[in-house]
Amino acid sequence: MTIEEKFATLGVDNAPGQEETRKDAPLDLRGPKLEGTPVDFSHGDVNAHKPTPGSLGLFVEGVMEGAVQAYTPYRGRMTILADMAKKISAFTGAKIDCPSELILTPGTQGALFLAMGACIMPGDKVAIVEPDYFANRKMVEFFHGQMVPVAMDWEKDPRKAGIDLAALEKAFQDGVKLFLFSNPNNPVGCIYSYDEICAIAALAKKYGATLIVDELYSRQVYEGETYTHLCAQKEIPENLISIIGPSKTESLSGYRLGVAFGTAAIIERMEKLQAIMALRCSGYNQAVFGCWFSEPEGWMKARVAEHQRIRDDLMAVVHGVEGVSARPTQGGSYLFVTIPELCVSLHEFIRIARAHAGVTVTPGTEFGPQFTHQFRINFSQDHDAAVAALKRLFTLMDLYRK
Amino acid sequence: MTIEEKFATLGVDNAPGQEETRKDAPLDLRGPKLEGTPVDFSHGDVNAHKPTPGSLGLFVEGVMEGAVQAYTPYRGRMTILADMAKKISAFTGAKIDCPSELILTPGTQGALFLAMGACIMPGDKVAIVEPDYFANRKMVEFFHGQMVPVAMDWEKDPRKAGIDLAALEKAFQDGVKLFLFSNPNNPVGCIYSYDEICAIAALAKKYGATLIVDELYSRQVYEGETYTHLCAQKEIPENLISIIGPSKTESLSGYRLGVAFGTAAIIERMEKLQAIMALRCSGYNQAVFGCWFSEPEGWMKARVAEHQRIRDDLMAVVHGVEGVSARPTQGGSYLFVTIPELCVSLHEFIRIARAHAGVTVTPGTEFGPQFTHQFRINFSQDHDAAVAALKRLFTLMDLYRK
C-alpha cells in the first residue's frame, strides 16, 4: 500500500464543517428555493447555546499567569489534573489516581487519537460499532489496524442500545484486542443499558481486551434515562480508557479541551504520543477546565432541558412525515434520521438540501457504509430555526421520493 | 514488536518541562547549594519575553465572533489562511496557493507530526540530522519508519552548518524517500549556508525524495547572518513541506499555533490526518495568527537584538571556562554547549545542577545518542538570571571534573 492509497480511504469531504472547501457537480434542483434561516446541523451552534459562563475569564487569567500556564507538562498542569481527577471521579463514580491515571488533551478527538495510537499496532484487529462516530473507523485505518465491525440494532428495543453482544464475543474470540465505542452513541443518541455495559465489560475482561469508552455526551442525559459509567463498575477489564470533554453540552469546542482517564500504562503511552503530536493541550486553554463541573447553579440542568425541548419538537416533525423515522435521543444532541428511498442518492440529496433549503446534515454513510438511508443532525441549534429547517428539508425531500 | 516495546523507545523523561513528573535516585551532591534565581533553560520564558502585543485581544475577539471562529474547516478558517499565505509568502519569497498549499496546526509540533504522518509508511527509510530536534527521531519510530541518521559537524566551519552531504546522497541512494531537518538547527542554532540549502534541494529533486524543512526559528536571525529559505529557491523537489510558527521568537507557545505550507497533495493528506488527530488548530486560538508578521513597528527587531545580547553574554561565560565550548548561535535561542569529561554521567550532572544550582538544561542525548558531552540551553530567559545561572552551572561543574 502506498501513502496515497492509505489516505484515499480517509475522506473528509462529508465531514462536519468541510462543506466550504468542497467542489461539487451540478445538482438536480426541483421546485423553488426554500427560504429560511440556514441551519448547519453538522455540528452544534455555540451562538445559540453559549459557552459556559466564566470560560473566557479563566482563559484570560491563564494568560496573565504566564509561563506556568503556557508550558505545562505534556499531560497537563498538575493543579488542573488534580481538580479534574476529583471532579470526574465524583461525576462517574470511578477512582482516578492523579497524575498517573489521567491526561488533558486537545479535545476529545485528541484523546481518542492518543488512546488509539497508544493501543494499536499494525495488523491488530480492532472492533468498532456500526453506526458509531465516523473518526473511529478512520483512526483504525490510519494506525494500520484491521477493523471488525459490530452491529447495533438501535430500532429494536428502546430500553437498550441494541449492540450485538454475540458478535462482540465472536470478535474477541477471533483475536480482537481493542474495542472502542461511544456512549451515548454518536450518531443515534441512544444509551447503553446497565446490562449491556456490564456485558461489554465482562467480555473484555474475559478475553483480555482493551476498552476505550467515549463518554463525550454523558452529562447531557434526558429525563427518565439512566446512564451507566463502565469505568465505575465492579467488573472492569485491566485495560480501560474513558474519554470525556466539555466541547459539546458546554459549548467549549473552540478551546479544544478533552480528558482521558484510566489504566496508568496506557495514559503513560498517550503522554509520550502527545509529546510528539502537539506537545500538550494548549497551555492557556487548559485554564478553562476550571469552569467544568463547576457551572453556576442550575445552568447545566437548564441547558439539558432546553435541548430536550428541541428534541421533542424535532421528533414531532419526524413523526409527521411518512416513511421517516428516528429513535428519540436519550443522551446528547444527535438524531439519526431514516428516510425513504429517493430518486437521487443520499449524498446528492444532502447537497441539494444545502443548496436549495439552506440545511446542512451529515450523511449516514459517515457512520457505516450501509447507512445510505440515514442522516445525522446535531440539534444543538436555535430552537425555532432548527424546527423550521427540518420542516424545509422534508418539504424538499417530498419532491425526490421514488 | 508489542505496543509496549514500541513506546519504550519514546521516552519523555528528559524532555523540556517534564522534570516535575520524574522520580529520581539520590544524587552525589558536592559543595554548598548555589543560590540564585532558578532558570529553566529547557524552554523559553514567556514571562521574561512577553507574547506579541495584542495577541490576547485577538483571542478575545475570536471568542466574541462565536461559531464562525469556534468551528473552522479542519485546515483553518479561510480568511486566516489567506492572510497567512500572503504574509508567509512575503517573508519567505515562496509562492503559496491558498487554501490548497497551507494548513494551520496545533503548534509546529502538530505541523511536524502531521507532515511525518502524511509521508511515512511502515518500513520507509527516513533521514534525519544528528544533532537535530529530539522529536524527529521519535516521530520516525512512532510511524514505524527506519531512521537513517546524517551527521552534521557544526564545529568545523562557521560559514556553514556542516551537514555531511555525501552521507545524505548515500542515504537517498540507499532508498531514503523523506528527509527532515530544522534550519536554524535545533539544538545548535547554526544556519545552513546557501550552498548547503541548494545542494539539499538538488539532491532531493534528483532522487525524488520528499523534504520537510522546519523553519520555526527563521525570523530570529542575528546580525550579519544570511538565511536561505529552501522553499523559495529555483530548484526544489516536487514534494516539499515547510513549517513555521509563532511559538518561539513571538512567545505565543501557550496558544499552540503552527503553519505548514507546500505541496498540495501532502497538505491534503495532513488535513485528513488533522481531522482525526485534533480536528483543527483550536478555533479561537486561530484568531491570534492575526498579530503574526504584523507586530508593532520595531518590536521584532528589538526582540531579536535582546536575544543577541543574551547570546553574547552567555558566550562570554562559555569562553571563560576551560574545556567548555559552543558555536555562537546564528539563529534562534539555543546554545549547544560541549563540556569536558566528568566523574558523573551527563544525566546525573544535569539532575545535580537542577537540585543544587537551580539550573535546568536539556541533555545532548535527546538530540542523538552520541551527544553525551553536550547540553542544550534555550536562552530566551531573563538576561541577568540566565548569565548568573550559567555561571552557577559551571561553578558546580568544576567540582565534578575528572
Side-chain angles (χ1 to χ4, degrees):
Chain A
M1 185 166 58
T2 66
I3 194 90
E4 291 80 11
E5 287 162 354
K6 171 175 173 174
F7 276 83
T9 63
L10 300 177
V12 294
D13 286 356
N14 295 304
Q18 290 301 103
E19 298 76 10
E20 195 175 337
T21 61
R22 212 161 55 192
K23 295 176 194 78
D24 289 324
L27 299 170
D28 167 20
L29 300 178
R30 301 183 185 179
K33 189 169 179 174
L34 299 178
E35 301 296 340
T37 309
V39 173
D40 183 350
F41 282 116
S42 73
H43 55 73
D45 180 359
V46 299
N47 294 346
H49 304 274
K50 301 278 185 205
T52 311
S55 46
L56 178 55
L58 285 171
F59 183 93
V60 173
E61 282 173 33
V63 175
M64 295 305 162
E65 274 207 84
V68 68
Q69 193 62 66
Y71 282 91
T72 76
Y74 298 139
R75 69 173 61 196
R77 190 173 173 186
M78 286 298 157
T79 51
I80 297 171
L81 285 168
D83 183 46
M84 283 295 103
K86 201 174 133 192
K87 287 171 172 172
I88 295 173
S89 189
F91 171 64
T92 60
K95 276 173 66 176
I96 305 171
D97 181 65
C98 177
S100 75
E101 293 182 340
L102 79 165
I103 184 170
L104 310 181
T105 62
T108 53
Q109 183 65 57
L112 281 170
F113 186 82
L114 292 172
M116 297 288 270
C119 291
I120 301 175
M121 286 292 281
D124 281 1
K125 288 182 182 171
V126 182
I128 66 168
V129 173
E130 283 184 352
D132 209 331
Y133 178 47
F134 50 81
N136 295 1
R137 174 185 65 77
K138 294 175 188 175
M139 289 186 288
V140 175
E141 287 169 352
F142 178 75
F143 291 119
H144 303 277
Q146 282 185 56
M147 199 188 71
V148 178
V150 173
M152 185 183 86
D153 185 356
W154 72 91
E155 290 171 312
K156 203 171 154 190
D157 184 344
R159 291 163 305 177
K160 56 186 194 178
I163 183 175
D164 185 339
L165 289 166
L168 182 62
E169 178 154 23
K170 176 76 167 47
F172 288 145
Q173 284 168 346
D174 289 348
V176 163
K177 285 289 170 210
L178 175 65
F179 174 49
L180 161 67
F181 70 105
S182 60
N183 183 28
N185 172 271
N186 173 354
V188 175
C190 56
I191 290 177
Y192 286 75
S193 70
Y194 174 76
D195 288 347
E196 286 176 312
I197 289 297
C198 291
I200 292 168
L203 286 173
K205 189 169 184 172
K206 178 176 174 186
Y207 292 98
T210 298
L211 286 186
I212 302 175
V213 188
D214 174 359
E215 300 200 343
L216 178 53
Y217 264 119
S218 58
R219 293 188 79 196
Q220 190 175 321
V221 167
Y222 298 124
E223 221 173 7
E225 307 293 349
T226 306
Y227 185 91
T228 309
H229 293 280
L230 192 147
C231 55
Q233 303 311 306
K234 268 187 204 158
E235 293 281 312
I236 55 171
E238 196 183 333
N239 291 307
L240 168 64
I241 294 293
S242 303
I243 287 167
I244 186 167
S247 287
K248 298 294 185 178
T249 312
E250 303 83 352
S251 294
L252 296 172
S253 180
Y255 292 97
R256 303 273 74 225
L257 305 173
V259 173
F261 60 99
T263 311
I266 302 176
I267 296 288
E268 192 185 326
R269 295 203 296 272
M270 289 171 71
E271 182 177 36
K272 288 179 171 188
L273 178 51
Q274 177 138 290
I276 59 171
M277 181 187 93
L279 293 185
R280 60 182 67 82
C281 173
S282 304
Y284 301 141
N285 301 41
Q286 290 179 28
V288 178
F289 278 112
C291 65
W292 198 29
F293 293 104
S294 294
E295 296 82 8
E297 182 73 28
W299 186 86
M300 272 298 285
K301 205 178 160 186
R303 172 141 298 190
V304 175
E306 267 171 12
H307 282 79
Q308 190 167 322
R309 287 192 296 271
I310 301 173
R311 177 202 68 177
D312 292 345
D313 286 356
L314 293 179
M315 281 305 299
V317 174
V318 165
H319 285 142
V321 185
E322 201 194 311
V324 171
S325 65
R327 175 170 170 164
T329 318
Q330 296 170 280
S333 297
Y334 295 121
L335 270 180
F336 201 47
V337 182
T338 301
I339 58 172
E341 194 73 32
L342 303 180
C343 53
V344 292
S345 73
L346 176 73
H347 283 228
E348 197 174 351
F349 175 66
I350 284 174
R351 293 206 302 274
I352 290 167
R354 182 170 154 84
H356 219 44
V359 184
T360 303
V361 301
T362 304
T365 50
E366 286 286 303
F367 309 94
Q370 65 272 49
F371 303 113
T372 54
H373 291 77
Q374 279 83 18
F375 61 78
R376 185 194 74 175
I377 64 172
N378 181 322
F379 58 78
S380 187
Q381 309 289 344
D382 177 83
H383 190 139
D384 296 339
V387 172
L390 197 61
K391 284 181 182 168
R392 286 203 304 281
L393 181 133
F394 290 131
T395 301
L396 189 65
M397 190 190 77
D398 279 339
L399 305 177
Y400 296 87
R401 282 185 190 261
K402 210 162 199 176
Chain B
M1 186 165 58
T2 66
I3 194 89
E4 290 80 10
E5 287 162 356
K6 171 175 173 174
F7 276 82
T9 62
L10 300 176
V12 295
D13 286 355
N14 295 303
Q18 291 302 103
E19 298 77 11
E20 196 176 336
T21 61
R22 210 161 56 191
K23 295 175 193 78
D24 288 327
L27 299 170
D28 168 19
L29 300 178
R30 301 182 185 180
K33 189 168 178 175
L34 299 178
E35 302 295 341
T37 308
V39 172
D40 183 352
F41 281 117
S42 72
H43 55 72
D45 180 0
V46 300
N47 294 346
H49 304 275
K50 302 277 186 204
T52 312
S55 46
L56 178 56
L58 286 170
F59 183 93
V60 173
E61 282 173 32
V63 175
M64 295 304 161
E65 275 208 83
V68 68
Q69 192 62 65
Y71 283 91
T72 76
Y74 298 140
R75 70 172 60 197
R77 189 171 172 186
M78 286 299 158
T79 50
I80 298 171
L81 285 167
D83 183 46
M84 283 296 102
K86 200 173 136 193
K87 287 171 172 171
I88 296 173
S89 188
F91 170 65
T92 61
K95 275 174 65 175
I96 305 172
D97 180 65
C98 177
S100 75
E101 293 181 341
L102 79 164
I103 183 170
L104 310 181
T105 62
T108 53
Q109 183 65 57
L112 282 169
F113 186 82
L114 292 171
M116 296 289 269
C119 290
I120 302 176
M121 286 293 280
D124 281 2
K125 289 182 182 171
V126 181
I128 65 169
V129 173
E130 282 184 351
D132 208 332
Y133 178 45
F134 49 80
N136 295 0
R137 174 186 64 78
K138 294 175 188 175
M139 289 186 290
V140 175
E141 287 169 353
F142 178 76
F143 291 119
H144 303 276
Q146 282 184 57
M147 199 188 71
V148 178
V150 173
M152 185 182 86
D153 185 356
W154 72 91
E155 289 171 313
K156 202 170 154 190
D157 184 343
R159 292 163 304 177
K160 57 186 193 178
I163 183 174
D164 184 341
L165 289 166
L168 182 63
E169 177 152 25
K170 176 76 167 47
F172 288 144
Q173 285 167 345
D174 289 348
V176 163
K177 285 288 170 211
L178 175 64
F179 174 49
L180 160 67
F181 70 105
S182 61
N183 182 28
N185 173 271
N186 174 355
V188 174
C190 57
I191 290 177
Y192 286 75
S193 71
Y194 174 76
D195 288 346
E196 285 176 314
I197 289 297
C198 292
I200 292 168
L203 285 174
K205 188 169 185 172
K206 179 176 174 187
Y207 292 99
T210 298
L211 285 186
I212 302 175
V213 188
D214 175 359
E215 300 199 345
L216 177 54
Y217 265 117
S218 58
R219 294 188 79 195
Q220 190 175 321
V221 167
Y222 298 123
E223 220 172 7
E225 307 293 349
T226 307
Y227 185 91
T228 309
H229 292 280
L230 192 148
C231 55
Q233 303 312 305
K234 266 186 202 156
E235 293 281 312
I236 56 171
E238 195 182 333
N239 291 307
L240 168 65
I241 294 293
S242 303
I243 287 167
I244 186 168
S247 287
K248 298 293 186 182
T249 312
E250 302 83 352
S251 294
L252 295 172
S253 180
Y255 292 98
R256 304 272 73 226
L257 305 172
V259 173
F261 61 98
T263 311
I266 303 177
I267 296 288
E268 192 184 326
R269 296 203 296 272
M270 290 172 70
E271 181 177 36
K272 288 179 173 188
L273 178 50
Q274 176 139 289
I276 59 171
M277 182 187 93
L279 295 184
R280 59 182 69 80
C281 173
S282 304
Y284 300 141
N285 301 40
Q286 289 179 29
V288 178
F289 278 112
C291 66
W292 197 30
F293 293 102
S294 293
E295 296 82 9
E297 182 75 28
W299 186 85
M300 271 300 284
K301 205 177 161 189
R303 171 141 299 191
V304 175
E306 266 170 11
H307 282 80
Q308 189 166 323
R309 287 192 295 272
I310 300 172
R311 176 202 67 176
D312 291 345
D313 285 356
L314 293 179
M315 281 304 299
V317 174
V318 165
H319 285 142
V321 186
E322 201 196 312
V324 171
S325 64
R327 175 171 169 161
T329 319
Q330 296 171 281
S333 296
Y334 295 121
L335 269 181
F336 201 46
V337 182
T338 301
I339 57 174
E341 194 73 32
L342 304 180
C343 52
V344 292
S345 73
L346 176 72
H347 283 228
E348 197 175 352
F349 175 67
I350 284 175
R351 293 205 302 275
I352 290 167
R354 181 170 155 83
H356 219 45
V359 184
T360 303
V361 301
T362 304
T365 50
E366 287 285 305
F367 310 95
Q370 65 274 47
F371 303 112
T372 53
H373 290 77
Q374 278 83 18
F375 60 80
R376 185 194 75 175
I377 65 172
N378 181 322
F379 59 77
S380 186
Q381 310 289 344
D382 176 82
H383 190 140
D384 296 338
V387 172
L390 197 61
K391 284 180 182 168
R392 284 204 303 281
L393 181 131
F394 291 132
T395 302
L396 189 64
M397 190 191 76
D398 279 339
L399 305 178
Y400 296 87
R401 283 184 191 262
K402 214 166 197 171

